[in-house]
Amino acid sequence: MDEPLVLALDQGTQSVRAMLFNRNGELIARYQQHIEPYFSHEPGQAEQHASYFWEQLGLACQGLWEQHGALKHQVKAVALTTQRASVVCLDEHKQPIRPAIIWLDQRRTDSIPRLPWWLAAPVTVMGQGETLRQFQAKAECNWLAVDEPALWQKTRYFLLLSGYLTYQLTGQLRDCTASQVGYIPFDYKGRCWAPAHDLKWQALRVRREQLPELVVPGKPLGTITGQASLATGIPEGLPLIACGADKACEVLGAGAFTPEIGNLSYGTTATFNTCNARYVEPITFVPAYGAAVPDRYNSEIIVQRGYWMVNWFKREFGQQEVQQAETLGVAPETLFEALLEESSPGAMGLMLQPFWNPGVRIPGPEAKGAIIGFGDVHTRAHMYRAIIEGIAYALREGKERLEKRNRIPVTSLRVSGGGSQSDAIMQITANIFNLPAVRPHTTETSGLGAAINAAVALGLHPDYPSAVAAMTRPGDTFLPEAAPARHYDALYRDVYRKLYPRLAPLYRSIRRITGYPARV
């Protein structure tokens, strides 16, 4: 008898994948369509046409059926997960009126809505005035209203990319509660749009009628329309199940279902997450996001540029590997393993702070990256190792912050994302955290998290704990090595943790003198 399958669609930053999973969490088939993440007309801009994402999603699905068409009739449900915080403006006819604004976009405005004194005063008293100002300045709806007023007036619907693709698949203006990450009036604790009295409605220029209906994970968003079936080859009438954004699904697919299991995501953005039944803010007044499971939250620490830095290194310093990879027919990143072998733990004292992108609180809006400790012994290999170690140091700092706030120690790690496919990086991670680092059984943890939601919705498993137990499991495990772990611990405690506090005043001076990053 043909086993039931679920189709998981993962619209990421670098590619879109169409995947088939069975009830045991086994990846039965997969097709990957690489995409252009964004284009820029000016420095700091990151845009892509919404229709381009829809076309590429269709191509990924059609590629899957071309290779595995015999499995199509076994598909019983569809689940969609996407990159977070990328927004789409639609007109009254539900058509895009400008390119989607990608999460990497750095535009902001100094013309922000002014709050009534009775709302502004408590924020100031709590010392959160700057946090609120950054939130308002970065909000796409605020700067669109100022910089593109005619287009903003035509914006009848304001959606995240997940909501736009849901509309394309089902014809319904709906989105998942666990996909709501961005500068939007969302109540993260209540997992719903903010109540009418919430100051976010005064702080932002978006209106409730511009936003989609929200659906909790595991519930249907709609069914695949005939038009969507023609574009994607997905059978008409199949249910589309809400599941959440890619990071939320990645935590679930990695099996990090309880707070003693930390989930590291070594993707374009690097994150450290714990999944909690309680609402635990990772930093005061910075929200915990909805988990890809009803009634749970993900407390998350972000290194925004994360493994983007590997691409930066490849572009700026890796031409030798790029050329060699073309000859060998392999990815350049696989050749960077040799650079790790050429350098020792700690990179001979070369230390990197990976804040190539400013933050809001930790790091703050003045933040910049730093590399210290150069000597005449250092080579490209040491620099590459310092990048990998620096990202891990930043995530360890986040892990320690979450442990204090959760009041639960992290005892093991699940590591996913592109960086997790390197044995050397996995061993570095185990050593820096001094914890077992476990690679999940599949590389497609975001897709698997989406599939878990579909499996529960179909009744293939009675509940989420059962589905997680059946569909996730550990793969390779990397145990910490005593001597490197001690070495890393000393560098982390005596050097890394002191970098940002001591450099932050200099970063503020750099911003004051150069105007970069822009202050609003």
Side-chain angles (χ1 to χ4, degrees):
M1 183 180 295
D2 292 336
E3 64 176 346
L5 301 176
V6 296
L7 172 63
L9 305 175
D10 185 353
Q11 175 66 72
T13 303
Q14 306 289 340
S15 70
V16 54
R17 279 101 69 204
M19 296 161 280
L20 297 177
F21 287 91
N22 66 11
R23 70 172 75 218
N24 298 319
E26 295 167 341
L27 181 60
I28 303 301
R30 171 184 180 271
Y31 187 89
Q32 183 174 24
Q33 180 78 15
H34 291 281
I35 64 174
E36 289 295 328
Y38 61 86
F39 56 83
S40 303
H41 294 301
E42 300 288 343
Q45 294 184 2
E47 299 183 343
Q48 185 53 271
H49 296 290
S51 58
Y52 173 79
F53 287 116
W54 173 237
E55 291 163 3
Q56 298 302 306
L57 183 68
L59 290 174
C61 291
Q62 296 289 4
L64 179 70
W65 308 132
E66 187 175 329
Q67 295 181 1
H68 305 282
L71 298 174
K72 184 188 290 192
H73 74 282
Q74 296 174 232
V75 178
K76 305 304 179 185
V78 186
L80 168 72
T81 185
T82 75
Q83 58 179 272
R84 305 183 301 188
S86 295
V87 301
V88 179
C89 297
L90 304 182
D91 63 17
E92 60 182 339
H93 305 294
K94 303 183 179 69
Q95 297 299 310
I97 59 175
R98 71 176 316 286
I101 302 164
I102 306 306
W103 61 273
L104 287 164
D105 196 286
Q106 296 181 36
R107 279 172 284 188
R108 50 179 68 192
T109 181
D110 57 3
S111 179
I112 57 178
R114 186 165 185 154
L115 295 181
W117 69 267
W118 61 87
L119 290 177
V123 174
T124 302
V125 168
M126 290 186 292
Q128 298 304 313
E130 178 64 16
T131 300
L132 176 61
R133 199 162 68 93
Q134 290 293 326
F135 173 81
Q136 290 183 277
K138 293 180 178 182
E140 294 87 358
C141 63
N142 284 349
W143 63 254
L144 281 170
V146 173
D147 297 342
E148 303 177 17
L151 285 175
W152 181 245
Q153 286 184 353
K154 295 178 181 178
T155 300
R156 174 64 182 83
Y157 303 103
F158 188 69
L159 308 175
L160 297 178
L161 180 61
S162 50
Y164 171 73
L165 292 177
T166 294
Y167 169 71
Q168 291 287 61
L169 287 165
T170 67
Q172 304 293 327
L173 286 169
R174 294 173 180 160
D175 202 357
C176 181
T177 54
S179 293
Q180 305 312 300
V181 177
Y183 301 104
I184 50 178
F186 188 70
D187 178 353
Y188 288 96
K189 187 174 184 179
R191 298 182 296 274
C192 59
W193 293 124
H197 63 270
D198 194 295
L199 69 79
K200 295 188 187 76
W201 294 109
Q202 300 284 340
L204 301 173
R205 292 187 169 104
V206 68
R207 305 181 308 278
R208 173 64 186 88
E209 59 267 24
Q210 292 175 286
L211 301 170
E213 176 187 350
L214 295 179
V215 176
V216 299
K219 298 298 182 182
L221 291 158
T223 57
I224 303 300
T225 65
Q227 186 175 356
S229 181
L230 288 174
T232 64
I234 302 171
E236 183 178 356
L238 284 181
L240 177 67
I241 305 302
C243 59
D246 54 2
K247 293 295 183 183
C249 286
E250 194 169 336
V251 176
L252 179 60
F257 195 58
T258 50
E260 72 274 6
I261 303 174
N263 175 237
L264 279 77
S265 172
Y266 281 153
T268 306
T269 292
T271 59
F272 185 93
N273 271 275
T274 57
C275 184
N276 308 293
R278 296 186 303 118
Y279 180 79
V280 180
E281 294 179 340
I283 304 169
T284 305
F285 296 108
V286 173
Y289 301 133
V293 175
D295 303 322
R296 288 193 181 230
Y297 304 92
N298 288 340
S299 300
E300 180 177 279
I301 300 296
I302 298 175
V303 179
Q304 190 165 33
R305 287 295 180 170
Y307 271 67
W308 169 91
M309 296 192 69
V310 173
N311 287 328
W312 172 77
F313 178 86
K314 178 174 66 175
R315 184 184 71 232
E316 301 297 335
F317 306 102
Q319 288 307 304
Q320 176 180 325
E321 285 76 18
V322 170
Q323 293 171 4
Q324 186 179 357
E326 289 178 359
T327 302
L328 298 175
V330 299
E333 290 79 1
T334 61
L335 302 180
F336 291 156
E337 294 288 285
L339 297 179
L340 295 176
E341 294 171 3
E342 293 173 16
S343 53
S344 58
M348 297 291 289
L350 197 64
M351 300 285 289
L352 181 139
Q353 177 190 270
F355 299 154
W356 261 237
N357 212 66
V360 176
R361 293 284 306 283
I362 302 175
E366 79 290 336
K368 301 181 76 66
I371 308 176
I372 68 167
F374 275 109
D376 59 4
V377 299
H378 291 119
T379 65
R380 287 187 317 125
H382 294 97
M383 182 177 287
Y384 182 68
R385 176 177 278 275
I387 288 173
I388 302 303
E389 293 173 346
I391 295 169
Y393 286 138
L395 294 176
R396 173 176 165 176
E397 190 173 45
K399 187 266 293 187
E400 293 175 354
R401 199 178 311 137
L402 284 181
E403 285 178 318
K404 290 179 181 178
R405 298 188 69 84
N406 288 337
R407 299 190 296 276
I408 297 174
V410 172
T411 57
S412 68
L413 307 174
R414 301 289 186 272
V415 190
S416 52
S420 69
Q421 299 316 297
S422 162
D423 287 358
I425 290 175
M426 289 293 294
Q427 190 61 61
I428 289 171
T429 302
N431 290 339
I432 286 180
F433 282 80
N434 198 22
L435 287 172
V438 180
R439 183 186 287 150
H441 79 278
T442 178
T443 61
E444 294 290 358
T445 46
S446 292
L448 178 56
I452 289 172
N453 276 283
V456 173
L458 289 171
L460 300 181
H461 299 287
D463 51 38
Y464 281 93
S466 301
V468 170
M471 298 179 71
T472 71
R473 48 196 167 275
D476 298 326
T477 298
F478 296 79
L479 300 176
E481 301 165 318
R486 286 194 300 270
H487 188 64
Y488 280 129
D489 188 65
L491 287 170
Y492 170 74
R493 294 183 182 281
D494 296 342
V495 182
Y496 182 83
R497 288 202 307 185
K498 298 177 181 179
L499 279 178
Y500 184 69
R502 296 189 180 187
L503 291 175
L506 299 180
Y507 295 155
R508 286 190 281 272
S509 295
I510 290 173
R511 183 172 65 170
R512 174 179 54 80
I513 295 166
T514 68
Y516 179 80
R519 182 183 180 90
V520 295

